[in-house]
Amino acid sequence: MPSPAAPPAAPIVYVLNGPNLNLLGTREPEIYGHDTLDDIAGQLEDRARELGLEIDMRQSNHEGHLVDWLHEAQAQDAKAVIINAGAFTHTSIAVHDAIKSIRTPVIEVHLSNPHAREKFRHTSFVGRAARGTIAGFGALSYRLALEAAARI
Ligand code: DQA
């Protein structure tokens, strides 16, 4: 008897995190909250399962990793990319260009609201290239971005 066909793989959403986000939970909790990146990954995995999606959560303190992962998302036919580029948001033309270079929809996310903070956070090179931005809702920003990823 032929073995039953494997169920089709769920569409993947890459969730990319930039510098210092590995310290979430202890890093300036009054701004970024008490959830760790692992806590956020758990919340996203639960919701992704309900939405019929899979998430691939990554973090790096190195700009080039974010560029490589954006390229990889397109090569792997990811449904979308959610990116919190941390401080590279405000500095990185390379991440901006990588987002522009791929057809995969990219959603910018921030825990805090950079527009309500220091002036140097008011420019986002990521936001200029992304499909949309969700910011200011703490860990909930990521879950809202996943809802958007499921619908685009
Ligand atoms: C951040 C905001 C950035 O300005 C900052 O450099 C971060 C975190 C946020 O999620 O609120 O590292 O991206």
Side-chain angles (χ1 to χ4, degrees):
M1 210 167 75
S3 55
I12 296 186
V13 176
Y14 278 46
V15 186
L16 307 183
N17 295 279
N20 303 306
L21 293 168
N22 53 313
L23 298 181
L24 279 185
T26 57
R27 174 193 179 196
E28 299 182 275
E30 65 286 0
I31 296 175
Y32 298 117
H34 293 277
D35 285 336
T36 65
L37 207 53
D38 279 348
D39 293 335
I40 293 173
Q43 295 161 12
L44 289 178
E45 272 156 20
D46 290 348
R47 185 60 184 138
R49 212 169 299 117
E50 292 167 358
L51 292 167
L53 299 171
E54 207 176 289
I55 65 152
D56 188 332
M57 181 94 163
R58 301 180 188 188
Q59 188 276 330
S60 176
N61 295 324
H62 304 277
E63 187 176 11
H65 288 162
L66 297 178
V67 171
D68 288 343
W69 292 340
L70 284 159
H71 297 176
E72 183 190 309
Q74 169 159 278
Q76 293 299 316
D77 206 20
K79 180 169 171 54
V81 175
I82 294 168
I83 185 167
N84 183 350
F88 291 142
T89 301
H90 317 297
T91 62
S92 179
I93 311 290
V95 172
H96 170 276
D97 285 355
I99 295 169
K100 290 284 232 188
S101 301
I102 62 173
R103 289 178 304 281
T104 314
V106 175
I107 303 166
E108 177 188 33
V109 84
H110 297 285
L111 296 144
S112 67
N113 176 1
H115 292 289
R117 300 180 62 194
E118 303 94 326
K119 198 159 190 294
F120 61 80
R121 297 184 203 275
H122 295 180
T123 296
S124 172
F125 292 107
V126 170
R128 286 180 185 204
R131 179 74 79 89
T133 299
I134 298 170
F137 301 101
L140 175 62
S141 292
Y142 283 79
R143 302 204 297 281
L144 293 172
L146 187 62
E147 299 295 330
R151 286 162 178 74
I152 54 177

